[in-house]
Amino acid sequence: MKQLLVAAIILMSISGFSQQEQRWSLEKANQWYEQNDWIVGANFVPSTAINQLEMWQEDTFDPEVIDRELSYAEEIGMNTMRVYLHSLAYKADKEGFKKRMEQYLSIADSHGIKTMFVIFDDVWNADPKIGKQPEPQPGTHNSGWVQDPGYPASIQEENFPELEVYVKDILQTFANDNRILLWDLYNEPGNNDKGNESMPLLKEVFSWARAVNPSQPLSVGLWKWELKDLNAFQALNSDIITYHSYDDPEKHELIIELLKSHGRPMICTEYMARTRNNRFSNTLPMLKNENIGAINWGLVNGKSNTIYAWNTPIESGEEPTEWFHDVFRKDGTPYRQDEVDLIEDLTSESKKQ
């Protein structure tokens, strides 16, 4: 009898754990999406930070600038920011890092803004280091942005236990925080020619997150259609379909039609590159029409230098003829008044519905 009871408890535990690890049903995903206003906002790093480490480390965390710059977003009706974390900032100061996350969330909430936190990242510099960050290279897009956990760290499985502790601690701490909209577990896995080398960490981060089972949905955005194995895993394990598109409207529409086949809500978590004909004027109304969340790259021009296009630096550091990303100058002046008018009009309409 005792053995049967123990077996039953084990089966119940396995069943419960399996349930926790399940992807959200279509019904749950769509109900969640319907409960939110149209999701619109930007990828955010304060203008005083060159990268995620400078944003989150104690010496350079800048709540005053964060507060001021999120007020610009609030004024034009944005309600969501996508914000990158960094495991090295956590490793250096675990409790302080979580306190700064709490402080950030409190500031964002005071402006009516929810947050998508990004956990890992395969983009730009492969060797992140804690401590003082480099000064920006004049006229160079994201000259100081760093990967997380870096390369080859991201493919070295001996690093995974420490990363698991980080992911689970962060998710457990904020698992029921309604100021967090979504967990974006891994930005552009496979970038920097890693390809399928990123698959083991991608699988692990989903497994770690499902074990925590936060109240918020989990996702990893599709971004490069040639990465078939990664794309399939990301799409089939994400509660909400997220994706990036810096394409013109015609190509973007094709992506939308393909992704509709999943039957899940969609959020475009990166778009808007003016010199590629991916603009607020031709993309934001399309996304609203399709009821797709819209998170453009960049809010305020600053140390990340994302007003300059990818791989086409202006060595003098003079302002480009046309900004690539970003919406505001540091003082809150819009780069283009017609763009902020459009954003404000579309977000105002959304609130009336």
Side-chain angles (χ1 to χ4, degrees):
M1 184 69 182
K2 186 178 179 182
Q3 286 178 328
L4 285 173
L5 186 59
V6 171
I9 291 168
I10 291 170
L11 282 171
M12 286 169 64
S13 299
I14 292 170
S15 172
F17 186 70
S18 297
Q19 257 188 335
Q20 285 182 358
E21 286 198 320
Q22 290 297 313
R23 180 195 197 192
W24 282 14
S25 67
L26 288 174
E27 181 183 21
K28 183 176 180 179
N30 284 299
Q31 282 178 349
W32 172 87
Y33 196 72
E34 287 166 12
Q35 288 167 3
N36 290 287
D37 290 335
W38 179 48
I39 295 163
V40 60
N43 284 266
F44 177 69
V45 61
S47 62
T48 49
I50 193 170
N51 60 24
Q52 318 94 305
L53 286 168
E54 196 159 42
M55 177 175 180
W56 290 110
Q57 290 180 149
E58 182 179 13
D59 289 349
T60 45
F61 183 69
D62 199 338
E64 184 179 338
V65 169
I66 291 169
D67 185 37
R68 181 171 66 244
E69 294 182 352
L70 291 185
S71 75
Y72 305 159
E74 179 186 19
E75 286 167 8
I76 59 173
M78 288 183 167
N79 57 27
T80 306
M81 292 289 128
R82 181 172 179 253
V83 178
Y84 287 71
L85 303 174
H86 205 288
S87 59
L88 288 185
Y90 169 85
K91 183 179 179 180
D93 179 16
K94 295 179 182 181
E95 294 309 311
F97 180 76
K98 288 187 286 184
K99 284 178 184 174
R100 288 186 286 279
M101 285 181 67
E102 169 62 38
Q103 192 173 358
Y104 168 82
L105 287 168
S106 178
I107 295 168
D109 188 56
S110 75
H111 294 290
I113 289 170
K114 292 199 173 187
T115 301
M116 296 181 183
F117 279 126
V118 183
I119 305 290
F120 295 136
D121 185 9
D122 271 353
V123 184
W124 300 111
N125 299 305
D127 189 23
K129 288 184 171 65
I130 208 71
K132 183 172 172 56
Q133 299 303 297
E135 290 302 310
Q137 294 175 20
T140 301
H141 181 107
N142 259 335
S143 65
W145 196 263
V146 287
Q147 297 177 30
D148 186 7
Y151 188 82
S154 62
I155 63 168
Q156 293 169 333
E157 295 193 9
E158 61 267 29
N159 295 322
F160 288 6
E162 189 173 46
L163 294 172
E164 179 181 4
V165 169
Y166 161 61
V167 171
K168 287 184 174 179
D169 188 16
I170 295 301
L171 265 65
Q172 285 165 351
T173 302
F174 298 99
N176 296 301
D177 195 320
N178 63 13
R179 298 169 298 179
I180 297 174
L181 183 75
L182 176 147
W183 295 101
D184 191 338
L185 299 177
Y186 201 147
N187 180 62
E188 299 194 354
N191 206 329
N192 278 287
D193 298 321
K194 293 182 189 179
N196 280 353
E197 284 187 302
S198 297
M199 184 68 85
L201 184 56
L202 176 65
K203 287 182 175 180
E204 291 289 0
V205 73
F206 265 111
S207 175
W208 301 333
R210 291 290 178 207
V212 174
N213 192 31
S215 61
Q216 309 94 342
L218 310 176
S219 188
V220 174
L222 303 161
W223 70 280
K224 187 175 183 180
W225 314 110
E226 296 89 340
L227 297 173
K228 294 178 183 177
D229 296 339
L230 290 165
N231 286 339
F233 188 85
Q234 289 163 226
L236 294 174
N237 285 276
S238 292
D239 300 319
I240 308 301
I241 297 296
T242 58
Y243 71 96
H244 300 172
S245 177
Y246 291 105
D247 297 303
D248 62 41
E250 187 177 0
K251 289 178 185 171
H252 196 155
E253 279 278 20
L254 288 174
I255 292 166
I256 290 169
E257 291 306 311
L258 286 169
L259 294 180
K260 278 182 182 178
S261 63
H262 291 276
R264 290 179 178 268
M266 291 191 282
I267 305 171
C268 181
T269 50
E270 288 188 26
Y271 78 97
M272 212 284 291
R274 294 178 183 90
T275 58
R276 293 170 59 92
N277 194 28
N278 183 290
R279 306 169 183 278
F280 287 117
S281 60
N282 61 16
T283 302
L284 193 59
M286 175 180 70
L287 292 172
K288 186 173 190 300
N289 248 358
E290 297 281 3
N291 194 27
I292 294 171
I295 310 295
N296 70 276
W297 190 275
L299 186 67
V300 179
N301 173 30
K303 290 175 78 172
S304 66
N305 273 348
T306 52
I307 64 171
Y308 302 96
W310 307 316
N311 304 319
T312 52
I314 299 175
E315 292 180 8
S316 67
E318 64 185 305
E319 187 171 309
T321 304
E322 184 171 36
W323 283 17
F324 194 63
H325 297 319
D326 299 327
V327 182
F328 293 101
R329 300 181 186 278
K330 289 180 187 178
D331 65 359
T333 305
Y335 165 62
R336 288 185 56 156
Q337 187 64 44
D338 61 320
E339 290 180 342
V340 297
D341 290 345
L342 173 66
I343 296 166
E344 194 167 5
D345 287 347
L346 292 175
T347 54
S348 296
E349 284 174 17
S350 184
K351 287 175 184 173
K352 291 174 189 173
Q353 294 172 356

